[in-house]
Amino acid sequence: MEPGHAHAPVLQGLWECVRAAQEEVLLAPHLAASCAFLTHVLLCAPFLALDALGSVCARVRSWRIAAGSGPPPPLSRWFECFCRVLFRYITVVAPAAALLQLLRSPQVPELAPSCWQLCVEVVACFLLFDTLFFLWHYVMHRVPWLYRSVHHLHHQHHVPFALAAQDASSAELLSLLLLALSSVWLLGCHPLSEALFHLLNCWLAVEDHCGYNLPWALHRLLPCMGGAPHHQAHHSQQSANYAPYFTHWDLLFGTYRA
Ligand SMILES: [Zn+2]
Ligand SMILES: [Zn+2]
C-alpha cells in the first residue's frame, strides 16, 4: 500500500467481490460489450421519458436546446436507432471487444485503488481520451473520404437524441473503442478506474447527444466542459466543436462555437 494513500474500505470490499468473480466474469469474452450496450440503453431511458413528458410539460420543453427545430424524435426513430446500434454491437463491437480481451492479459492487482488514485486516473483518462478524440474527429471532418466512409453516418442526426450517441458506422464505433482502450492502457489504470471511466464515458456521450440543456448537467457545474449545447452545435454546424467533452482544444485551435 502506498504511504499516505489509504485504501477506502468500500473500494477494497468492492474490489474483493470483483476479484472473487474474476475467472467466470472478468474474463468472459462478451461481457464488456454486453455491459456497454446495456449501460448505453439504460442511460438513454430517462431521456426517452423526458421526450414523452415534453408533450405535456412546458418546463421539460423549455430545456430542449433546439426548441425551434420541431418536437422530439418519435418512438419509431428511437426504435430504428436501437436496432442499428444493437446490430453493430452484435456484428462488430462484441467480436472486436472479445478479441481484444483475449489479446490483452488482464492484470488483477490485489489491492483496490485509493480514492485519490481512482479520481486522478479517471480524470487523466478523460483528458487523454478527449485529446485523442479531438484529433481523430478533426481528421475525419478534414479528409473527405474518411468523412464519407466513417463519420457521415453519425451526422445523419442534425438534431441528435440520446440513443444517437452510439449511432455511427462500424468503423467509427471500432475507432472510438480503440481510443478509449488506448487511453486506459497508456496511463496504466487500475481495472476499477478503467470500469468507472467506461461508465462515465458512456454517460457523458449520452448527455452530449440528449438534446436537453438540463439545469443539473455537468457542464453547468464545470465550465471547462461543453455538454449537450456544445456537441449539438457540432451536429448542426459541422465545422466547430470537435472535442467531445472539454472545450480547451477547440478554444486553442479556434474551432470553438458557443
Ligand atoms: Zn455526435
Ligand atoms: Zn463530427
Side-chain angles (χ1 to χ4, degrees):
M1 189 183 298
E2 298 164 52
H5 285 224
H7 290 260
V10 176
L11 283 183
Q12 189 60 41
L14 176 67
W15 184 235
E16 297 292 339
C17 294
V18 174
R19 285 186 71 219
Q22 178 198 348
E23 286 299 320
E24 305 80 40
V25 180
L26 271 188
L27 304 178
H30 292 294
L31 181 84
S34 310
C35 281
F37 180 75
L38 266 179
T39 307
H40 177 58
V41 172
L42 286 176
L43 290 175
C44 287
F47 294 105
L48 178 59
L50 270 189
D51 279 2
L53 266 177
S55 57
V56 291
C57 178
R59 173 67 63 90
V60 171
R61 281 199 300 277
S62 75
W63 292 333
R64 273 191 69 75
I65 300 166
S69 61
L75 208 57
S76 59
R77 206 159 146 226
W78 276 80
F79 182 69
E80 286 163 16
C81 187
F82 174 85
C83 293
R84 280 197 300 269
V85 177
L86 178 62
F87 176 75
R88 290 198 192 101
Y89 260 81
I90 292 172
T91 55
V92 178
V93 179
L99 182 68
L100 288 166
Q101 175 80 321
L102 288 174
L103 290 177
R104 73 194 282 208
S105 46
Q107 293 183 340
V108 186
E110 206 172 303
L111 289 176
S114 64
C115 290
W116 172 251
Q117 184 192 347
L118 184 81
C119 294
V120 168
E121 286 184 355
V122 170
V123 171
C125 267
F126 270 109
L127 287 169
L128 181 56
F129 176 75
D130 191 76
T131 306
L132 298 175
F133 188 112
F134 171 82
L135 293 169
W136 172 232
H137 195 187
Y138 186 83
V139 170
M140 282 197 292
H141 274 270
R142 290 300 149 126
V143 181
W145 72 264
L146 259 184
Y147 180 80
R148 279 196 308 275
S149 52
V150 178
H151 194 46
H152 172 70
L153 216 65
H154 183 61
H155 274 283
Q156 66 183 299
H157 304 287
H158 296 291
V159 180
F161 58 105
L163 213 51
Q166 301 268 339
D167 195 10
S169 68
S170 303
E172 182 164 357
L173 287 178
L174 273 185
S175 69
L176 297 186
L177 174 69
L178 283 177
L179 291 189
L181 292 178
S182 313
S183 307
V184 169
W185 293 340
L186 285 171
L187 293 166
C189 290
H190 190 283
L192 217 50
S193 312
E194 177 180 350
L196 184 60
F197 164 67
H198 289 310
L199 179 67
L200 294 177
N201 193 21
C202 193
W203 165 249
L204 288 180
V206 166
E207 203 184 273
D208 256 7
H209 292 84
C210 72
Y212 292 92
N213 192 5
L214 298 169
W216 56 84
L218 198 58
H219 68 275
R220 302 250 198 179
L221 285 174
L222 302 170
C224 58
M225 302 189 82
H230 183 256
H231 194 66
Q232 186 145 322
H234 172 72
H235 274 262
S236 58
Q237 300 180 22
Q238 302 228 359
S239 57
N241 300 353
Y242 296 107
Y245 304 134
F246 299 99
T247 51
H248 56 270
W249 289 120
D250 283 301
L251 287 166
L252 218 71
F253 280 80
T255 51
Y256 178 82
R257 299 287 180 281

